Amino acid sequence: WEFRDWGDQRAMMNARLNVHNVRPCAAVPMRARVARVFVPRAAGGSKEGASASGYSVAGMRPTSPKAWSMIAEELKRNKLKFVKPSETSKRGTLVIDIRPSQDYEASHIPGAYNCEFFKSIEGWDPVKILRRAVFAFFGILNGTEYNPGFVDEVVSLTGGKKNADIVLYCNIGGQLEPWGNSKDGRQSRSLTAAFELYNAGFKKVRVLDGGIGGYVKGGFELEA
């Protein structure tokens, strides 16, 4: 999953070329990023078995079938819903772009805020150097790692209101219906981020169907 989204990121480079007739966002400033509050926390479980990204689910790599099955089961239990692109402009809806800040700044859905679920790799310890090297092997120069301040950023953005109407989006959106060889569907960062927010007590979290890629394909414009 950590690399699965990156093919979609390359595709998004082409999508960015379609950004035209850019309109200033009246709702938020151009760089509407929430100030990060880094609070060390065990994401979804213990560090044992965590991936090099620093993120784990019940001590397992988030990409493992068991971890994804747990995530999908929890999302279904919470009756997570997918929204159409036209619903992102609904009054009272808080749209959150969970992609890295550089992707958000290049182009995003009008009015969306940015709370990175994964951020650019910071620091140069041996593990992070290795992580950068792995990304570079796949042709990705801007590697990412888990943002431990993600939930805190969302809490700050909502003013601590756990009943806020939130719509998350990444590049692909994902799905919970069977997909390929997975009975649990197609994993995505926005679905995993929704899982994190449900665990943090948020009650109304939805995901943009098809992600920003589906938004563009639907004929909707982005802004930078």
Side-chain angles (χ1 to χ4, degrees):
W1 162 65
E2 288 179 22
F3 294 110
R4 198 174 299 162
D5 272 4
W6 300 127
D8 299 282
Q9 280 199 341
R10 292 194 196 92
M12 284 307 301
M13 292 177 67
N14 294 327
R16 289 170 190 160
L17 297 178
N18 294 327
V19 180
H20 58 287
N21 298 324
V22 175
R23 303 186 302 275
C25 174
V28 295
M30 183 181 298
R31 295 173 62 91
R33 292 206 62 251
V34 180
R36 291 194 204 136
V37 181
F38 289 101
V39 179
R41 57 193 292 270
S46 69
K47 287 293 182 180
E48 183 180 355
S51 67
S53 67
Y55 182 75
S56 66
V57 176
M60 296 179 287
R61 290 178 58 86
T63 53
S64 71
K66 285 187 178 181
W68 169 230
S69 183
M70 287 180 57
I71 292 170
E73 182 178 344
E74 182 66 13
L75 294 178
K76 292 173 183 177
R77 189 182 71 78
N78 282 279
K79 298 180 179 180
L80 178 133
K81 295 181 179 179
F82 291 86
V83 303
K84 297 179 181 179
S86 59
E87 297 180 70
T88 59
S89 59
K90 184 179 178 181
R91 186 174 182 179
T93 299
L94 190 63
V95 181
I96 302 178
D97 185 328
I98 68 161
R99 301 174 303 152
S101 61
Q102 63 267 29
D103 292 341
Y104 170 82
E105 290 167 2
S107 61
H108 56 266
I109 292 173
Y113 290 84
N114 182 219
C115 294
E116 301 171 290
F117 187 47
F118 272 64
K119 59 185 177 63
S120 295
I121 299 172
E122 298 176 349
W124 292 92
D125 61 60
V127 171
K128 295 189 176 184
I129 291 174
L130 177 60
R131 185 166 175 79
R132 283 187 171 91
V134 172
F135 271 101
F137 177 80
F138 284 90
I140 302 163
L141 299 181
N142 296 316
T144 58
E145 62 186 358
Y146 174 65
N147 173 19
F150 170 69
V151 171
D152 299 291
E153 290 180 16
V154 177
V155 169
S156 176
L157 183 61
T158 62
K161 297 178 180 179
K162 296 298 179 71
N163 63 341
D165 184 8
I166 298 172
V167 172
L168 304 176
Y169 74 85
C170 59
N171 286 328
I172 62 176
Q175 67 182 63
L176 294 175
E177 294 77 24
W179 183 79
N181 295 323
S182 174
K183 64 179 180 61
D184 296 307
R186 186 183 188 187
Q187 190 174 15
S188 72
R189 288 188 173 179
S190 53
L191 287 177
T192 308
F195 168 78
E196 280 286 282
L197 293 183
Y198 278 132
N199 282 341
F202 285 89
K203 306 298 182 183
K204 193 173 182 181
V205 182
R206 296 176 290 167
V207 168
L208 177 61
D209 191 18
I212 196 170
Y215 186 90
V216 172
K217 289 180 181 177
F220 293 85
E221 297 178 2
L222 304 176
E223 68 178 13

